[in-house]
Amino acid sequence: MIAMILAGGTGTRLWPYSRSMTPKQFLNLGSTHESLFQETCRRLETLIDPEKIYVVGSASHEGELQQQMAQIYPDYRPEQLLIEPLSRNTAPAILWGILQIPENQRGEPVVILASDHLIKAPEHLIGALKNAETLASSGYLVTFGIRPDRPETGYGYIKAGEALEVGFKVADFVEKPDQSTAESYLESSDYTWNASIFMATAETWLDEFRNHAPGLLAVFENATVDGKELADPEVIRKIYQSIESDSIDYALLEKSKRVAVLPVDMEWSDLGSWESIYQVSEKDKQGNVIRGNVISHETHNCLIFSSKKLVTSIGVENLIIVETDDALLVCDMTRSQDVKKLVETLKREERHEYKFHKRVMRPWGSATTILENTSYRIRMLEIQTDKSMSLQSHQQRSEHWVVLEGTADVQRGDEKVILQENESAYIPKGMRHRLGNSGNTTLQIIEVQQGEYLGDDDIERF
């Protein structure tokens, strides 16, 4: 069996924990110390060899993905991590991943999973995947339906039809229902939640794309007629620039006549809102979900998360309170879906808090903002061993680096120097420069940026 994990989402409903540059799949919101993405990888370990697990993610999160992948799979091959240059929804992502599977493995079942879901009974998922192999090997596209335990209006539903040896043929895919319709689905045994987990052989996936999305398949296939590889970033960029966004549901599943559903109970949640996190989390005697530095008195049925500061509450109930380094959310429990609207306001007003945390992961390490205003920014840079920034220049700001720990490889124009602890380098506006770490320990640098404009788009790379 082969697995493909889709990790390109940029969800906004768990703000301020989740940001567009650090979405929920990279956060610790499950039952372990690892991120949801890493938990997704872990739950496949008993069934699928690590070299047969592919991950499709966004260029915006490349650094985070590389670091989290390396923690789980230290020996992963670069071709297992597919970085999308643009967001085009799930159909192109899945097709690109399928085409990367070697031809001699295309008869094997391929399971597609989201990277940001919570599954409290992973053994039930593994059992369902094993049961679905027969259907997949018979040419079916298999979906996995979650038996509903409440009349949920936030999920799509799958209606089961004719019974098969395992599972059922899919009679219909149903969009998110209203309350009364959801209640009727709960009473019926024919309806399950669509968990966006799918399985088919690579051959079946390609046949279904050929039948129902031939234009999309042709774009990918035509890009390789001159011997070019889909692993070439420039080839993929041109493909993604030429195609429209499309979900796998609309592109294939709702059109195909070979779709089956396998109902499964695995204590699943898509963690699509703070209220959903409250629902699946362990609560104290007052019905509260508490994490971090929190003291509460006469507080009931609240979710209170603190990342650093002491958060206290007295005499409140049914609230969501979430603190991070640079933001505080206070929200009525029943209004948690409206957090998405709040983030749209932040985006419209060009507030950086919708996009970044103070600590931002990069392919070379991380950058943590300590202090900033309109004319300067002070950051802690942590550069991993054998990593370096790109050769670059800035037209509207200068930079001053001070080494706190480690050894820095610094390029200033044509000059290359090595800096030790307590040594510094000044980079004037317009000068080409690069910072790297060839040492054996993480390099820590204090960076002071000064200028009339400090935006991330003031970077020219060489």
Side-chain angles (χ1 to χ4, degrees):
M1 189 181 295
I2 298 167
M4 188 184 309
I5 300 173
L6 304 182
T10 57
T12 56
R13 288 176 292 179
L14 296 183
W15 187 88
Y17 257 36
S18 174
R19 313 281 174 102
S20 65
M21 290 295 291
T22 314
K24 64 175 178 175
Q25 61 264 33
F26 302 124
L27 303 177
N28 170 15
L29 292 169
S31 55
T32 72
H33 66 281
E34 295 181 316
S35 71
L36 293 175
F37 165 69
Q38 291 174 321
E39 286 187 359
T40 302
C41 296
R42 292 287 190 201
R43 68 176 64 107
L44 298 172
E45 286 182 334
T46 61
L47 186 63
I48 301 174
D49 293 333
E51 62 267 20
K52 288 189 175 182
I53 295 177
Y54 294 82
V55 176
V56 185
S58 166
S60 300
H61 312 137
E62 183 176 1
E64 187 79 58
L65 268 171
Q66 289 174 341
Q67 291 193 28
Q68 294 207 9
M69 279 278 286
Q71 291 168 1
I72 298 294
Y73 306 124
D75 300 320
Y76 83 91
R77 295 172 289 115
E79 55 265 33
Q80 291 176 255
L81 179 56
L82 308 180
I83 300 298
E84 295 182 291
L86 302 167
S87 177
R88 290 292 185 259
N89 215 317
T90 52
I94 290 172
L95 177 55
W96 183 22
I98 294 297
L99 289 169
Q100 292 299 100
I101 294 173
E103 290 196 16
N104 63 357
Q105 296 177 11
R106 291 187 176 178
E108 296 184 39
V110 182
V111 57
I112 314 291
L113 309 98
S115 62
D116 57 357
H117 292 177
L118 177 69
I119 297 176
K120 287 189 169 183
E123 67 279 6
H124 293 179
L125 169 66
I126 297 302
L129 295 179
K130 291 178 179 178
N131 291 336
E133 285 190 89
T134 301
L135 287 173
S137 298
S138 300
Y140 278 98
L141 286 172
V142 186
T143 66
F144 296 82
I146 308 301
R147 291 189 176 92
D149 57 9
R150 62 184 185 277
E152 177 61 59
T153 60
Y155 299 151
Y157 285 71
I158 304 170
K159 183 180 181 181
E162 175 189 342
L164 299 170
E165 181 179 353
V166 179
F168 305 85
K169 279 191 173 183
V170 169
D172 197 14
F173 288 93
V174 184
E175 293 294 329
K176 298 174 183 178
D178 58 26
Q179 185 66 30
S180 61
T181 304
E183 289 172 358
S184 68
Y185 290 168
L186 182 62
E187 295 175 1
S188 170
S189 60
D190 294 336
Y191 292 88
T192 52
W193 293 333
N194 185 351
S196 297
I197 303 173
F198 315 110
M199 180 189 287
T201 65
E203 292 171 344
T204 298
W205 282 114
L206 292 175
D207 286 343
E208 293 296 316
F209 274 105
R210 193 167 288 110
N211 291 334
H212 303 295
L216 180 61
L217 179 61
V219 172
F220 277 84
E221 290 183 333
N222 292 341
T224 61
V225 294
D226 296 328
K228 295 182 178 179
E229 298 290 335
L230 289 179
D232 184 333
E234 189 56 35
V235 171
I236 286 298
R237 175 168 292 279
K238 290 179 179 178
I239 290 174
Y240 270 67
Q241 288 173 339
S242 69
I243 60 178
E244 301 292 328
S245 293
D246 202 359
S247 73
I248 197 67
D249 301 76
Y250 290 131
L252 299 189
L253 296 174
E254 295 182 8
K255 299 174 183 176
S256 175
K257 303 300 182 184
R258 296 282 293 173
V259 185
V261 58
L262 190 62
V264 56
D265 292 311
M266 55 186 181
E267 297 184 52
W268 170 91
S269 173
D270 73 343
L271 299 180
S273 68
W274 284 113
E275 185 179 13
S276 68
I277 289 181
Y278 175 81
Q279 290 170 345
V280 301
S281 298
E282 185 176 346
K283 300 168 183 64
D284 63 20
K285 293 179 180 179
Q286 288 72 44
N288 298 314
V289 175
I290 302 292
R291 178 183 289 190
N293 191 10
V294 177
I295 296 176
S296 63
H297 289 295
E298 299 180 14
T299 296
H300 301 277
N301 305 322
C302 290
L303 180 147
I304 307 177
F305 277 23
S306 167
S307 63
K308 186 171 293 186
K309 299 181 182 69
L310 171 62
V311 175
T312 61
S313 64
I314 302 173
V316 297
E317 59 184 24
N318 301 319
L319 287 182
I320 295 164
I321 303 173
V322 181
E323 177 272 340
T324 65
D325 274 353
D326 60 348
L328 173 67
L329 170 70
V330 180
C331 174
D332 185 278
M333 184 70 71
T334 62
R335 300 286 302 277
S336 66
Q337 292 287 351
D338 290 340
V339 170
K340 188 173 184 178
K341 298 178 182 177
L342 177 63
V343 175
E344 287 300 316
T345 300
L346 295 175
K347 186 176 181 179
R348 189 166 55 250
E349 295 182 359
E350 299 182 348
R351 296 289 301 256
H352 68 85
E353 290 93 345
Y354 93 89
K355 192 173 184 179
F356 297 108
H357 281 285
K358 284 188 174 292
R359 184 170 189 255
V360 179
M361 304 306 297
R362 300 297 191 193
W364 41 262
S366 67
T368 303
T369 299
I370 300 171
L371 184 65
E372 70 176 315
N373 64 18
T374 57
S375 61
Y376 67 82
R377 177 192 292 144
I378 303 174
R379 302 194 301 174
M380 165 75 83
L381 307 181
E382 295 181 283
I383 301 177
Q384 302 299 316
T385 299
D386 294 327
K387 298 289 186 179
S388 69
M389 299 179 181
S390 60
L391 182 62
Q392 58 190 255
S393 68
H394 314 291
Q395 298 305 312
Q396 301 184 67
R397 70 172 185 257
S398 64
E399 295 179 341
H400 188 189
W401 297 330
V402 180
V403 178
L404 298 183
E405 185 174 321
T407 302
D409 304 301
V410 175
Q411 180 175 346
R412 300 173 69 254
D414 295 328
E415 177 191 24
K416 294 184 179 180
V417 297
I418 294 178
L419 300 182
Q420 305 295 336
E421 293 178 11
N422 205 31
E423 295 182 334
S424 64
Y426 174 67
I427 312 296
K429 295 178 185 178
M431 174 177 280
R432 294 188 183 189
H433 59 278
R434 190 200 313 264
L435 179 61
N437 178 13
S438 58
N440 297 320
T441 60
T442 298
L443 170 63
Q444 294 185 335
I445 294 274
I446 288 292
E447 175 188 73
V448 180
Q449 302 176 350
Q450 288 186 290
E452 59 271 20
Y453 180 71
L454 304 174
D456 288 330
D457 54 347
D458 178 26
I459 299 178
E460 184 178 2
R461 303 186 192 276
F462 304 97

